[in-house]
């Protein structure tokens, strides 16, 4: 949350973004060859290191001048000072510290043996080692002679087709390319060991004897050198603090170079965001994108603008259809906020952000059967933690809260939680929901803004949802994934069921039941809104009784049919303005 630190990182990332040669050289020539230095230091600290680990530390030390030379080659004065302070000066210091380690390894370790993956002390350090080394060298000479003898016998080239190798499983043996494998078939003097991708491994009786002798001498060599190895490892272990500090610098470099790499290689390049000091400024993103979604194949990501302005649009309520992009919209804002605060460039064409003290998210649906936590209980636990933790400078992301319980309970919780965040906490927040009634919050609180995901709705005339019912036309829904101001009062959940090829009977029944529920809810709400007092009820009852008596008299006098009786009833009602205006009669008519 330190603005100076964020801007310093941004400047370093900008240096790697603008200098392609510097970035690629560090990635491909230097960083790729560095082992896990923290793990290496731990092995030294736990006294589990061996000579191979000492050699790895040495190999890192001899690569440091390459890093320093690359940074010294930077000519841009705008970034040179920052790079020197963060990397070059520190690497020079560590390179000087490793000078003694480098000298010790070059003096004591047989670096020529590394080509055969052997990690041994030089034989010059001990008379016993010198004697064993002479015997090993003589054996190697005999092995080479056997190699050439076998090559002549099989008529194979020792440079291209027949190789002498120290194989991990079989030890010293011959390898013949797979194309030439038939050369040793049905020849008793050659024993086939295994067949792998790179060829056929085989041996001879003489080679087997020499391999056994070589293994025995190597074991003696290692036993004799163990005391010297322990001393070398002990000296190398004293460099642990330097190795750990170097690991921190190279890890920092690796991360920032990676930031620059993704910023440059995204489908549309990232931009450097303007970051405001904590507690000031707004979060305004132009043509924001989700950094993971836009990298998928065959996807043309629809960009959206974001505006979190203090006292104007601090709390965003996003409604819209299922699969319309609500969750992606709110998640990409959280990801962009995180990327900006760790010093990375962000996937926008223009961006300014304030510093958040924390990003609190309640997204997805999960339960834990082992802990006895249901999906709804998990939602409530996460939301409770948000309400306890959030401050005025937090970013809160809530995705469809209240799905795991009844509609009324879920809506009540969603409203209460939203109002608490707006009124009591005052944090920047985004709430994606299917409770369309929640959008009424902006009538009370001006800092609440309603957004919705756009969907284009068309009618396919003649294509009906149920056979013989031409009144219920099938709607063609096209999701546009664009977020704009306003309210959406439909979720198109049944449309998603159609997309995943639900049985048509199930889809038709779902539509019918949804329509029935909407009709019932609408009538119920109309009745509730028509409140009649006792005087209206008495007056309405009297007028209704008079109208019914009049209707009965006329029906009996004229001997009307059923259709005519209904028409007469409508005629009498339409002609009685006082009855139509009566609240009690309106409530009866609605039912």
């Amino acid at each position: 949350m330190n603005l100076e630190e964020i801007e310093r990182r941004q400047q370093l990332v900008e240096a790697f973004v603008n200098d392609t040669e510097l970035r690629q050289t560090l990635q491909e020539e230097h960083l790729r060859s560095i082992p896990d230095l923290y793990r290496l230091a731990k092995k030294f600290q736990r006294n589990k290191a061996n000579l191979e680990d000492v050699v790895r530390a040495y190999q890192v030390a001899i690569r440091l001048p390459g890093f320093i030379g690359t940074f010294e080659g930077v000519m841009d004065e705008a970034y040179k000072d920052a790079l020197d302070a963060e990397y070059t000066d520190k690497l020079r210091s560590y390179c000087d510290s490793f000078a003694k380690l480098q000298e010790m390894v070059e003096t004591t370790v047989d670096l020529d043996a590394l080509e055969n993956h052997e990690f041994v002390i030089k034989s010059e350090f001990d008379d016993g080692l010198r004697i064993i080394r002479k015997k090993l060298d003589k054996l190697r000479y005999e092995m080479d002679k056997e190699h050439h003898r076998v090559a002549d016998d099989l008529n194979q080239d020792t440079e291209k087709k027949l190789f002498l190798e120290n194989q991990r499983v079989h030890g010293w043996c011959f390898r013949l390319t797979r194309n030439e494998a038939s050369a040793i078939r049905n020849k008793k003097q050659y024993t086939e060991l295994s067949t792998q991708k790179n060829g056929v491994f085989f041996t001879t009786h003489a080679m087997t004897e020499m391999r056994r002798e070589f293994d025995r001498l190597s074991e003696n060599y290692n036993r004799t050198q163990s005391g010297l190895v322990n001393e070398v490892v002990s000296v190398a272990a004293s460099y642990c603090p330097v190795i750990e500090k170097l690991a921190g610098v190279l890890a920092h470099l690796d991360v920032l170079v990676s930031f620059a790499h993704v910023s440059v290689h995204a489908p549309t390049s990232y931009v450097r965001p303007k970051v405001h000091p904590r507690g000031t400024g707004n979060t305004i993103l132009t043509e924001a994108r989700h950094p993971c979604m836009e990298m998928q194949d065959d996807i043309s990501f629809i960009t959206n603008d974001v505006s979190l302005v203090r006292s104007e649009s601090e709390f965003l309520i996003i409604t819209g259809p299922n699969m319309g992009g609500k969750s992606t919209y709110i998640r990409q804002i959280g990801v962009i906020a995180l990327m900006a605060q760790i010093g990375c460039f962000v996937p926008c064409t223009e961006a300014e952000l304030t510093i958040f003290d924390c990003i609190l998210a309640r997204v997805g649906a999960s339960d834990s059967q082992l802990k006895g936590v249901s999906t709804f209980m998990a939602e409530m636990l996460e939301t409770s933690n948000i309400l306890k933790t959030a401050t005025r400078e937090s970013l809160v992301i809530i995705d469809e809260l209240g799905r795991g319980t009844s509609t009324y309970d879920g809506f009540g919780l969603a409203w209460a939680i939203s109002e608490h965040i707006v009124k009591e906490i005052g944090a920047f927040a985004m709430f994606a929901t299917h409770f369309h009634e929640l959008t009424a919050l902006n009538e009370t609180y001006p800092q609440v803004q309603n957004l919705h995901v756009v969907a284009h709705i068309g009618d396919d005339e003649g294509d009906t949802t149920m056979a013989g019912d031409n009144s219920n036309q099938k709607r063609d829904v096209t999701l546009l994934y664009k977020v704009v101001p306003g309210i959406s009062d439909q979720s198109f959940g049944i449309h998603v069921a159609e997309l995943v090829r639900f049985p048509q009977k199930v889809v038709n029944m779902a539509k019918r039941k949804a329509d029935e529920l909407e009709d019932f809810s609408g009538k119920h709400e109309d009745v509730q809104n028509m409140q009649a007092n006792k005087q209206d009820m008495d007056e309405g009852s009297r007028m209704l009784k008079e109208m019914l008596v009049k209707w009965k008299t006329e029906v009996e006098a004229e001997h009307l049919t059923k259709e005519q009786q209904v028409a007469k009833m409508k005629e009498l009602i339409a002609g009685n303005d006082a009855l139509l205006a009566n609240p009690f009669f309106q409530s009866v008519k609605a039912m």
Side-chain angles (χ1 to χ4, degrees), residues 269-514:
S269 296
Y270 294 0
V271 298
R272 177 174 175 173
K274 166 66 178 173
V275 181
H276 297 290
R278 185 178 176 185
T280 64
N282 303 309
T283 297
I284 300 175
L285 312 176
T286 305
E287 295 185 9
R289 312 184 301 276
H290 194 294
C292 299
M293 289 284 290
E294 70 168 348
M295 292 301 294
Q296 296 183 24
D297 295 333
D298 303 324
I299 282 186
S300 178
F301 194 88
I302 307 298
T303 62
N304 281 294
D305 295 343
V306 181
S307 180
L308 290 168
V309 180
R310 296 176 189 273
S311 303
E312 292 182 18
S313 56
E314 295 179 354
F315 192 97
L316 305 181
I317 297 176
I318 302 100
T319 53
N322 293 96
M323 295 287 293
K326 299 188 301 298
S327 297
T328 301
Y329 180 74
I330 63 174
R331 291 180 193 208
Q332 77 187 27
I333 298 170
V335 173
I336 288 171
L338 178 62
M339 291 172 70
Q341 282 193 220
I342 59 176
C344 185
F345 285 15
V346 296
C348 306
T349 57
E350 191 176 340
E352 62 171 287
L353 299 98
T354 186
I355 293 180
F356 300 107
D357 58 10
C358 59
I359 300 172
L360 301 165
R362 205 329 306 152
V363 296
S366 60
D367 56 13
S368 177
Q369 293 178 343
L370 294 177
K371 295 180 180 177
V373 176
S374 68
T375 303
F376 181 67
M377 185 62 173
E379 279 188 12
M380 292 298 99
L381 288 171
E382 292 173 8
T383 309
S384 173
N385 186 49
I386 289 174
L387 298 179
K388 293 174 183 175
T389 308
T391 70
R392 183 164 182 78
E393 299 305 322
S394 301
L395 177 63
V396 178
I397 298 171
I398 300 178
D399 190 9
E400 297 186 27
L401 184 70
R403 293 171 298 175
T405 186
S406 72
T407 303
Y408 300 113
D409 286 354
F411 170 68
L413 285 166
W415 182 285
I417 290 165
S418 301
E419 192 168 35
H420 181 79
I421 293 172
V422 173
K423 190 176 178 182
E424 304 295 334
I425 300 175
F428 287 107
M430 288 157 291
F431 199 129
T433 183
H434 287 290
F435 294 127
H436 306 120
E437 299 82 0
L438 202 62
T439 55
L441 265 174
N442 78 328
E443 297 174 5
T444 309
Y445 302 101
Q447 65 267 46
V448 176
Q449 183 181 10
N450 291 322
L451 303 175
H452 73 283
V453 184
V454 179
H456 175 73
I457 307 169
D459 290 332
D460 287 347
E461 293 185 4
D463 187 4
T464 58
T465 56
M466 294 185 68
D469 184 5
N470 293 325
S471 63
N472 192 7
Q473 292 183 332
K474 183 177 181 179
R475 293 181 301 178
D476 182 25
V477 181
T478 304
L479 303 174
L480 303 181
Y481 305 106
K482 200 69 180 172
V483 179
V484 297
I487 300 169
S488 172
D489 59 354
Q490 300 181 72
S491 292
F492 305 105
I494 297 175
H495 172 67
V496 177
E498 288 180 301
L499 290 178
V500 297
R501 301 183 184 279
F502 264 43
Q504 193 58 43
K505 284 185 177 180
V506 176
V507 174
N508 293 342
M509 176 62 76
K511 289 180 177 179
R512 201 171 81 200
K513 288 297 179 185

Side-chain angles (χ1 to χ4, degrees), residues 110 112-113 116 118 120 123-124 129-145 172 210 213-214 217-218 221:
D110 189 350
D112 295 332
N116 298 321
E118 296 176 4
V120 294
S123 57
E124 291 85 351
L129 290 178
R130 192 179 298 110
I131 293 170
I132 299 173
R133 172 50 61 190
K134 284 184 178 179
K135 291 181 179 179
L136 286 170
D137 291 342
K138 185 178 179 182
L139 267 177
R140 278 305 311 274
Y141 175 73
E142 295 296 329
M143 287 180 182
D144 289 335
K145 283 180 63 178
W172 285 101
M210 286 186 281
E213 180 64 14
F214 190 90
L217 289 172
S218 296
Y221 195 100

Side-chain angles (χ1 to χ4, degrees), residues 453-576:
V453 184
V454 179
H456 175 73
I457 307 169
D459 290 332
D460 287 347
E461 293 185 4
D463 187 4
T464 58
T465 56
M466 294 185 68
D469 184 5
N470 293 325
S471 63
N472 192 7
Q473 292 183 332
K474 183 177 181 179
R475 293 181 301 178
D476 182 25
V477 181
T478 304
L479 303 174
L480 303 181
Y481 305 106
K482 200 69 180 172
V483 179
V484 297
I487 300 169
S488 172
D489 59 354
Q490 300 181 72
S491 292
F492 305 105
I494 297 175
H495 172 67
V496 177
E498 288 180 301
L499 290 178
V500 297
R501 301 183 184 279
F502 264 43
Q504 193 58 43
K505 284 185 177 180
V506 176
V507 174
N508 293 342
M509 176 62 76
K511 289 180 177 179
R512 201 171 81 200
K513 288 297 179 185
D515 290 341
E516 289 177 6
L517 188 60
E518 284 181 6
D519 291 342
F520 176 79
S521 299
K523 290 176 180 177
H524 181 71
E525 289 171 4
D526 290 340
V527 171
Q528 293 292 323
N529 291 332
M530 297 174 190
Q531 296 182 353
N533 57 34
K534 190 174 186 304
Q535 184 180 349
D536 291 333
M537 289 177 63
D538 293 341
E539 184 67 19
S541 299
R542 183 186 61 76
M543 287 190 293
L544 187 57
K545 191 178 292 185
E546 289 175 358
M547 190 271 296
L548 289 173
V549 170
K550 184 178 179 181
W551 172 77
K552 183 180 179 184
T553 303
E554 292 185 11
V555 166
E556 290 176 349
E558 299 177 17
H559 303 287
L560 301 177
T561 63
K562 284 188 177 181
E563 289 79 6
Q564 291 171 333
Q565 291 175 14
V566 173
K568 176 60 74 174
M569 172 72 76
K570 291 181 178 179
E571 181 185 335
L572 291 172
I573 292 173
N576 193 333

